Amino acid sequence: KTSYCKHVNHCSIEFAKGMRLTADVLLRAEHYINPYLDRELNLRGFKIPAIENLAILQDQFDVIDFSDNDLKKMDNFPSMQRLNALILNNNSIARIGSSLSERLPKLTTVILTNNRVANLAEIDRLAEFNLECLSLLDNPVALKAQYRLYVVYKIPSLKWLDFRKVQRSEREESAKFFKTAAGKAYIAAVAQEVKALAEGAGGGSSANGNGNGNGSVAVALTEEQKAMVKRAIEQASTREEIDNIERQLKAGNFAFLNSVGETSEDAGFEKMDE
């Protein structure tokens, strides 16, 4: 292993910045055995705009590091039965491809720190994997109310989220919350978001990958949610509170519904940090 690592370091090649991920780039890129004894491919910092041509690697790697590129979407992977970790820090990723778990069945770690994931619908795509470690730090989605509860609920295999260990109390809290009316309304809203994104996929997408250019998706409310929104507005005592409700709706944030028309048992969950 020592001689192998020395050979790799000696053969490291400086590529021109801002290039397509061609077969030549892939075959000449730096690769090594990392401290976890996994074979890792280093594709950091080339400003690659899209993932492509990975089949040329013949499934030889456990880890691929795509940090510091210009990727817009986590997609276009061939069947890679060996790959267990993707490091995607500091890109512009807003969307996650569909059915990726079929091509990456052993993927357990996805690091998406400092990207542009804005919609909870993308969490549903990530939930197709049996992830153990996920980071969405410094993504707009991490600012949404109940974000951590929702991720823990959707990905029960998760052990680490945003470099914090998932606690048993969080699992219990998420299970309890999503049995309440507010939790069910939250899930229904995300389902509408998933549908809206799927329907918009054929019509082109904006620069941030979600089809409307402003980081949010128009979500059709259920009749129950409409009634709860109406009650929330009726209960508002100032114009500022009404404006806040409108802003939260536009952002896909339904936290204000938690205490609207709920029993004390339904509304008694601890609000997560936003």
CSV table of all heavy atoms in Angstrom, one decimal, residues 1 4 31-34 36-41 54 57-64 77-86 100-109 129:
chain,number,residue,atom,x,y,z
A,1,LYS,N,0.8,-1.2,0.0
A,1,LYS,CA,0.0,0.0,0.0
A,1,LYS,C,0.9,1.3,0.0
A,1,LYS,O,0.5,2.3,-0.6
A,1,LYS,CB,-0.9,0.0,1.2
A,1,LYS,CG,-2.0,-1.0,1.2
A,1,LYS,CD,-3.0,-0.9,2.4
A,1,LYS,CE,-4.1,-2.0,2.3
A,1,LYS,NZ,-4.9,-1.9,3.5
A,4,TYR,N,2.1,1.9,-3.4
A,4,TYR,CA,1.0,2.3,-4.3
A,4,TYR,C,0.7,3.8,-4.0
A,4,TYR,O,0.5,4.6,-5.0
A,4,TYR,CB,-0.3,1.5,-3.9
A,4,TYR,CG,-1.5,2.0,-4.6
A,4,TYR,CD1,-1.8,1.7,-5.9
A,4,TYR,CD2,-2.5,2.8,-3.9
A,4,TYR,CE1,-3.0,2.2,-6.5
A,4,TYR,CE2,-3.6,3.2,-4.5
A,4,TYR,CZ,-3.9,2.9,-5.8
A,4,TYR,OH,-5.0,3.4,-6.4
A,31,HIS,N,-6.0,9.1,-7.3
A,31,HIS,CA,-6.7,8.2,-6.5
A,31,HIS,C,-5.8,7.5,-5.5
A,31,HIS,O,-4.6,7.4,-5.8
A,31,HIS,CB,-7.4,7.1,-7.4
A,31,HIS,CG,-6.5,6.4,-8.4
A,31,HIS,ND1,-6.1,7.0,-9.6
A,31,HIS,CD2,-5.9,5.2,-8.3
A,31,HIS,CE1,-5.3,6.1,-10.2
A,31,HIS,NE2,-5.1,5.0,-9.5
A,32,TYR,N,-6.3,7.0,-4.4
A,32,TYR,CA,-5.5,6.6,-3.4
A,32,TYR,C,-6.4,5.7,-2.4
A,32,TYR,O,-7.6,5.7,-2.5
A,32,TYR,CB,-4.9,7.7,-2.6
A,32,TYR,CG,-5.8,8.9,-2.4
A,32,TYR,CD1,-6.7,8.9,-1.3
A,32,TYR,CD2,-5.8,10.0,-3.2
A,32,TYR,CE1,-7.6,9.9,-1.1
A,32,TYR,CE2,-6.6,11.1,-3.0
A,32,TYR,CZ,-7.5,11.0,-1.9
A,32,TYR,OH,-8.4,12.1,-1.7
A,33,ILE,N,-5.7,5.1,-1.4
A,33,ILE,CA,-6.3,4.4,-0.3
A,33,ILE,C,-6.5,5.4,0.8
A,33,ILE,O,-5.4,6.0,1.3
A,33,ILE,CB,-5.5,3.2,0.1
A,33,ILE,CG1,-5.3,2.2,-1.0
A,33,ILE,CG2,-6.3,2.5,1.3
A,33,ILE,CD1,-6.5,1.6,-1.6
A,34,ASN,N,-7.7,5.7,1.2
A,34,ASN,CA,-7.9,6.7,2.3
A,34,ASN,C,-7.7,6.2,3.7
A,34,ASN,O,-7.4,4.9,3.8
A,34,ASN,CB,-9.2,7.4,2.1
A,34,ASN,CG,-10.4,6.5,2.4
A,34,ASN,OD1,-10.3,5.5,3.1
A,34,ASN,ND2,-11.6,6.9,2.0
A,36,TYR,N,-9.6,5.2,5.8
A,36,TYR,CA,-10.5,4.2,6.2
A,36,TYR,C,-10.3,2.9,5.3
A,36,TYR,O,-11.1,2.0,5.3
A,36,TYR,CB,-12.0,4.7,6.0
A,36,TYR,CG,-12.3,5.8,6.9
A,36,TYR,CD1,-12.2,7.2,6.4
A,36,TYR,CD2,-12.7,5.6,8.2
A,36,TYR,CE1,-12.5,8.2,7.3
A,36,TYR,CE2,-13.0,6.7,9.0
A,36,TYR,CZ,-12.9,8.0,8.6
A,36,TYR,OH,-13.2,9.0,9.4
A,37,LEU,N,-9.2,2.9,4.6
A,37,LEU,CA,-8.8,1.8,3.7
A,37,LEU,C,-9.8,1.6,2.6
A,37,LEU,O,-9.9,0.5,2.0
A,37,LEU,CB,-8.7,0.5,4.5
A,37,LEU,CG,-7.7,0.6,5.7
A,37,LEU,CD1,-7.6,-0.8,6.4
A,37,LEU,CD2,-6.3,1.0,5.2
A,38,ASP,N,-10.5,2.7,2.2
A,38,ASP,CA,-11.3,2.7,1.0
A,38,ASP,C,-10.6,3.2,-0.2
A,38,ASP,O,-9.7,4.2,0.0
A,38,ASP,CB,-12.6,3.5,1.2
A,38,ASP,CG,-13.6,2.9,2.2
A,38,ASP,OD1,-13.6,1.6,2.2
A,38,ASP,OD2,-14.3,3.6,2.9
A,39,ARG,N,-10.9,2.8,-1.4
A,39,ARG,CA,-10.3,3.3,-2.6
A,39,ARG,C,-11.1,4.6,-2.9
A,39,ARG,O,-12.3,4.6,-3.1
A,39,ARG,CB,-10.3,2.4,-3.8
A,39,ARG,CG,-9.4,1.2,-3.6
A,39,ARG,CD,-9.1,0.5,-5.0
A,39,ARG,NE,-8.4,1.4,-5.9
A,39,ARG,CZ,-8.2,1.2,-7.2
A,39,ARG,NH1,-8.8,0.1,-7.7
A,39,ARG,NH2,-7.5,2.0,-7.9
A,40,GLU,N,-10.4,5.7,-3.0
A,40,GLU,CA,-11.0,7.0,-3.2
A,40,GLU,C,-10.5,7.7,-4.4
A,40,GLU,O,-9.3,7.7,-4.7
A,40,GLU,CB,-10.8,7.9,-2.0
A,40,GLU,CG,-11.5,9.3,-2.1
A,40,GLU,CD,-11.4,10.0,-0.7
A,40,GLU,OE1,-11.3,9.4,0.3
A,40,GLU,OE2,-11.6,11.3,-0.8
A,41,LEU,N,-11.4,8.3,-5.2
A,41,LEU,CA,-11.1,9.0,-6.4
A,41,LEU,C,-11.2,10.5,-6.1
A,41,LEU,O,-12.3,11.0,-5.6
A,41,LEU,CB,-12.0,8.6,-7.6
A,41,LEU,CG,-11.8,9.3,-8.9
A,41,LEU,CD1,-10.4,9.0,-9.5
A,41,LEU,CD2,-12.9,9.0,-9.9
A,54,LEU,N,-18.9,8.0,-15.9
A,54,LEU,CA,-18.3,7.3,-14.7
A,54,LEU,C,-18.2,5.8,-15.0
A,54,LEU,O,-17.5,5.1,-14.3
A,54,LEU,CB,-19.1,7.5,-13.5
A,54,LEU,CG,-19.1,8.9,-12.9
A,54,LEU,CD1,-19.9,9.0,-11.6
A,54,LEU,CD2,-17.7,9.4,-12.7
A,57,LEU,N,-14.8,4.0,-15.1
A,57,LEU,CA,-14.1,3.6,-13.9
A,57,LEU,C,-14.3,2.1,-13.5
A,57,LEU,O,-13.5,1.6,-12.7
A,57,LEU,CB,-14.6,4.4,-12.7
A,57,LEU,CG,-14.5,5.9,-12.8
A,57,LEU,CD1,-15.1,6.6,-11.6
A,57,LEU,CD2,-13.0,6.3,-12.9
A,58,GLN,N,-15.2,1.4,-14.2
A,58,GLN,CA,-15.5,0.0,-14.0
A,58,GLN,C,-15.7,-0.3,-12.5
A,58,GLN,O,-15.2,-1.4,-12.0
A,58,GLN,CB,-14.3,-0.8,-14.6
A,58,GLN,CG,-14.2,-0.6,-16.1
A,58,GLN,CD,-13.0,-1.4,-16.7
A,58,GLN,OE1,-12.2,-2.0,-16.0
A,58,GLN,NE2,-13.0,-1.5,-18.0
A,59,ASP,N,-16.3,0.5,-11.8
A,59,ASP,CA,-16.7,0.3,-10.4
A,59,ASP,C,-15.6,-0.1,-9.5
A,59,ASP,O,-15.6,-1.1,-8.8
A,59,ASP,CB,-17.8,-0.8,-10.4
A,59,ASP,CG,-18.6,-0.9,-9.1
A,59,ASP,OD1,-18.5,0.1,-8.3
A,59,ASP,OD2,-19.3,-1.9,-8.9
A,60,GLN,N,-14.5,0.7,-9.6
A,60,GLN,CA,-13.3,0.3,-8.8
A,60,GLN,C,-13.2,1.1,-7.5
A,60,GLN,O,-12.2,0.9,-6.8
A,60,GLN,CB,-12.0,0.6,-9.7
A,60,GLN,CG,-11.9,-0.2,-10.9
A,60,GLN,CD,-10.6,0.0,-11.7
A,60,GLN,OE1,-9.5,0.0,-11.1
A,60,GLN,NE2,-10.8,0.4,-13.0
A,61,PHE,N,-14.1,2.0,-7.3
A,61,PHE,CA,-13.9,2.9,-6.1
A,61,PHE,C,-15.0,2.8,-5.1
A,61,PHE,O,-16.2,2.6,-5.4
A,61,PHE,CB,-13.8,4.4,-6.6
A,61,PHE,CG,-12.6,4.6,-7.5
A,61,PHE,CD1,-12.6,4.6,-8.8
A,61,PHE,CD2,-11.3,4.8,-6.9
A,61,PHE,CE1,-11.5,4.7,-9.6
A,61,PHE,CE2,-10.2,5.0,-7.6
A,61,PHE,CZ,-10.3,5.0,-9.0
A,62,ASP,N,-14.6,3.0,-3.8
A,62,ASP,CA,-15.6,3.1,-2.7
A,62,ASP,C,-16.1,4.5,-2.4
A,62,ASP,O,-17.2,4.7,-2.0
A,62,ASP,CB,-14.9,2.5,-1.4
A,62,ASP,CG,-14.3,1.2,-1.6
A,62,ASP,OD1,-15.0,0.2,-1.8
A,62,ASP,OD2,-13.0,1.0,-1.6
A,63,VAL,N,-15.2,5.5,-2.7
A,63,VAL,CA,-15.5,6.9,-2.4
A,63,VAL,C,-15.1,7.7,-3.6
A,63,VAL,O,-14.1,7.5,-4.2
A,63,VAL,CB,-14.7,7.3,-1.2
A,63,VAL,CG1,-15.1,8.8,-0.9
A,63,VAL,CG2,-14.9,6.4,0.0
A,64,ILE,N,-16.0,8.7,-3.9
A,64,ILE,CA,-15.6,9.7,-5.0
A,64,ILE,C,-15.9,11.1,-4.3
A,64,ILE,O,-16.9,11.4,-3.8
A,64,ILE,CB,-16.5,9.5,-6.2
A,64,ILE,CG1,-16.3,8.2,-6.9
A,64,ILE,CG2,-16.1,10.6,-7.2
A,64,ILE,CD1,-17.1,7.9,-8.1
A,77,PHE,N,-25.5,8.6,-12.7
A,77,PHE,CA,-24.5,7.5,-12.2
A,77,PHE,C,-24.8,6.2,-13.0
A,77,PHE,O,-26.0,5.8,-13.1
A,77,PHE,CB,-24.6,7.3,-10.7
A,77,PHE,CG,-24.0,8.4,-9.9
A,77,PHE,CD1,-24.8,9.5,-9.6
A,77,PHE,CD2,-22.7,8.4,-9.5
A,77,PHE,CE1,-24.3,10.5,-8.8
A,77,PHE,CE2,-22.1,9.4,-8.7
A,77,PHE,CZ,-22.9,10.5,-8.4
A,78,PRO,N,-23.8,5.5,-13.4
A,78,PRO,CA,-24.0,4.1,-13.9
A,78,PRO,C,-24.2,3.2,-12.7
A,78,PRO,O,-24.1,3.6,-11.6
A,78,PRO,CB,-22.7,3.8,-14.7
A,78,PRO,CG,-21.7,4.6,-13.9
A,78,PRO,CD,-22.4,5.9,-13.4
A,79,SER,N,-24.4,1.9,-13.0
A,79,SER,CA,-24.4,1.0,-11.9
A,79,SER,C,-23.0,0.9,-11.2
A,79,SER,O,-22.0,0.6,-11.9
A,79,SER,CB,-24.8,-0.4,-12.4
A,79,SER,OG,-24.8,-1.4,-11.4
A,80,MET,N,-23.0,1.2,-9.9
A,80,MET,CA,-21.7,1.2,-9.2
A,80,MET,C,-22.0,0.5,-7.9
A,80,MET,O,-22.4,1.1,-6.9
A,80,MET,CB,-21.2,2.6,-8.9
A,80,MET,CG,-21.0,3.4,-10.2
A,80,MET,SD,-20.3,5.1,-10.0
A,80,MET,CE,-18.6,4.7,-9.8
A,81,GLN,N,-21.8,-0.8,-7.9
A,81,GLN,CA,-22.2,-1.7,-6.8
A,81,GLN,C,-21.2,-1.5,-5.6
A,81,GLN,O,-21.6,-1.9,-4.5
A,81,GLN,CB,-22.1,-3.2,-7.2
A,81,GLN,CG,-23.0,-3.5,-8.4
A,81,GLN,CD,-24.5,-3.3,-8.1
A,81,GLN,OE1,-25.0,-3.8,-7.1
A,81,GLN,NE2,-25.2,-2.6,-8.9
A,82,ARG,N,-20.1,-0.9,-5.8
A,82,ARG,CA,-19.1,-0.8,-4.8
A,82,ARG,C,-19.2,0.6,-4.0
A,82,ARG,O,-18.8,0.6,-2.9
A,82,ARG,CB,-17.7,-1.0,-5.4
A,82,ARG,CG,-16.5,-0.9,-4.4
A,82,ARG,CD,-15.2,-1.3,-5.1
A,82,ARG,NE,-14.1,-1.1,-4.2
A,82,ARG,CZ,-12.9,-1.5,-4.5
A,82,ARG,NH1,-12.6,-2.1,-5.6
A,82,ARG,NH2,-11.9,-1.3,-3.6
A,83,LEU,N,-19.6,1.6,-4.7
A,83,LEU,CA,-19.6,2.9,-4.1
A,83,LEU,C,-20.4,3.1,-2.9
A,83,LEU,O,-21.5,2.7,-2.8
A,83,LEU,CB,-20.1,3.9,-5.2
A,83,LEU,CG,-19.9,5.4,-4.9
A,83,LEU,CD1,-18.4,5.8,-5.0
A,83,LEU,CD2,-20.7,6.3,-5.8
A,84,ASN,N,-19.7,3.5,-1.8
A,84,ASN,CA,-20.4,3.7,-0.5
A,84,ASN,C,-20.5,5.1,0.0
A,84,ASN,O,-21.2,5.4,0.9
A,84,ASN,CB,-19.8,2.8,0.6
A,84,ASN,CG,-18.4,3.1,0.9
A,84,ASN,OD1,-18.1,4.2,1.4
A,84,ASN,ND2,-17.5,2.2,0.7
A,85,ALA,N,-19.7,6.0,-0.6
A,85,ALA,CA,-19.7,7.4,-0.2
A,85,ALA,C,-19.5,8.4,-1.3
A,85,ALA,O,-18.6,8.2,-2.2
A,85,ALA,CB,-18.6,7.6,0.9
A,86,LEU,N,-20.3,9.5,-1.3
A,86,LEU,CA,-20.2,10.6,-2.2
A,86,LEU,C,-19.9,11.9,-1.4
A,86,LEU,O,-20.7,12.2,-0.5
A,86,LEU,CB,-21.4,10.8,-3.1
A,86,LEU,CG,-21.6,9.8,-4.2
A,86,LEU,CD1,-23.0,10.0,-4.8
A,86,LEU,CD2,-20.5,10.0,-5.3
A,100,LEU,N,-31.8,6.5,-8.1
A,100,LEU,CA,-30.4,6.4,-7.9
A,100,LEU,C,-30.0,5.2,-7.1
A,100,LEU,O,-29.0,4.6,-7.2
A,100,LEU,CB,-29.7,7.6,-7.3
A,100,LEU,CG,-29.5,8.8,-8.3
A,100,LEU,CD1,-28.8,10.0,-7.5
A,100,LEU,CD2,-28.7,8.4,-9.5
A,101,SER,N,-30.9,4.9,-6.1
A,101,SER,CA,-30.6,3.8,-5.2
A,101,SER,C,-30.4,2.4,-5.9
A,101,SER,O,-29.7,1.5,-5.5
A,101,SER,CB,-31.6,3.6,-4.1
A,101,SER,OG,-32.9,3.4,-4.7
A,102,GLU,N,-31.1,2.3,-7.1
A,102,GLU,CA,-31.0,1.1,-7.9
A,102,GLU,C,-29.6,0.9,-8.5
A,102,GLU,O,-29.1,-0.2,-8.7
A,102,GLU,CB,-32.1,1.1,-9.0
A,102,GLU,CG,-33.5,1.1,-8.5
A,102,GLU,CD,-34.5,1.3,-9.6
A,102,GLU,OE1,-34.1,1.2,-10.8
A,102,GLU,OE2,-35.7,1.4,-9.3
A,103,ARG,N,-29.0,2.1,-8.8
A,103,ARG,CA,-27.6,2.1,-9.4
A,103,ARG,C,-26.5,2.2,-8.3
A,103,ARG,O,-25.4,1.8,-8.6
A,103,ARG,CB,-27.5,3.2,-10.4
A,103,ARG,CG,-28.3,3.0,-11.7
A,103,ARG,CD,-28.4,4.2,-12.5
A,103,ARG,NE,-29.6,5.0,-12.1
A,103,ARG,CZ,-29.8,6.3,-12.4
A,103,ARG,NH1,-28.8,6.9,-13.1
A,103,ARG,NH2,-30.9,6.9,-12.1
A,104,LEU,N,-26.9,2.7,-7.2
A,104,LEU,CA,-25.9,2.8,-6.1
A,104,LEU,C,-26.4,2.2,-4.8
A,104,LEU,O,-26.7,2.8,-3.8
A,104,LEU,CB,-25.6,4.3,-5.8
A,104,LEU,CG,-25.3,5.2,-7.0
A,104,LEU,CD1,-25.2,6.7,-6.6
A,104,LEU,CD2,-24.0,4.7,-7.7
A,105,PRO,N,-26.5,0.8,-4.8
A,105,PRO,CA,-27.2,0.1,-3.7
A,105,PRO,C,-26.4,0.2,-2.4
A,105,PRO,O,-27.0,0.0,-1.3
A,105,PRO,CB,-27.3,-1.3,-4.3
A,105,PRO,CG,-26.2,-1.4,-5.2
A,105,PRO,CD,-26.1,-0.1,-5.9
A,106,LYS,N,-25.1,0.4,-2.4
A,106,LYS,CA,-24.3,0.4,-1.2
A,106,LYS,C,-24.0,1.8,-0.7
A,106,LYS,O,-23.3,1.9,0.3
A,106,LYS,CB,-23.0,-0.4,-1.4
A,106,LYS,CG,-23.3,-1.9,-1.6
A,106,LYS,CD,-22.0,-2.7,-1.6
A,106,LYS,CE,-22.2,-4.2,-1.8
A,106,LYS,NZ,-21.0,-4.9,-1.9
A,107,LEU,N,-24.6,2.8,-1.3
A,107,LEU,CA,-24.3,4.2,-0.8
A,107,LEU,C,-24.9,4.4,0.6
A,107,LEU,O,-26.1,4.3,0.8
A,107,LEU,CB,-24.9,5.2,-1.8
A,107,LEU,CG,-24.5,6.6,-1.6
A,107,LEU,CD1,-23.0,6.8,-2.0
A,107,LEU,CD2,-25.3,7.5,-2.5
A,108,THR,N,-24.0,4.7,1.5
A,108,THR,CA,-24.5,5.0,2.9
A,108,THR,C,-24.1,6.4,3.4
A,108,THR,O,-24.6,6.8,4.4
A,108,THR,CB,-23.9,4.0,3.9
A,108,THR,OG1,-22.4,4.0,3.8
A,108,THR,CG2,-24.4,2.6,3.5
A,109,THR,N,-23.2,7.1,2.6
A,109,THR,CA,-22.7,8.4,3.1
A,109,THR,C,-22.9,9.4,1.9
A,109,THR,O,-22.4,9.2,0.8
A,109,THR,CB,-21.3,8.4,3.5
A,109,THR,OG1,-21.2,7.5,4.7
A,109,THR,CG2,-20.8,9.8,3.9
A,129,PHE,N,-32.2,5.7,-0.4
A,129,PHE,CA,-30.9,5.0,0.1
A,129,PHE,C,-31.1,4.6,1.5
A,129,PHE,O,-31.9,5.2,2.3
A,129,PHE,CB,-29.7,5.9,-0.1
A,129,PHE,CG,-29.5,6.4,-1.5
A,129,PHE,CD1,-29.8,7.7,-1.8
A,129,PHE,CD2,-28.8,5.6,-2.4
A,129,PHE,CE1,-29.6,8.2,-3.1
A,129,PHE,CE2,-28.6,6.0,-3.7
A,129,PHE,CZ,-28.9,7.3,-4.0
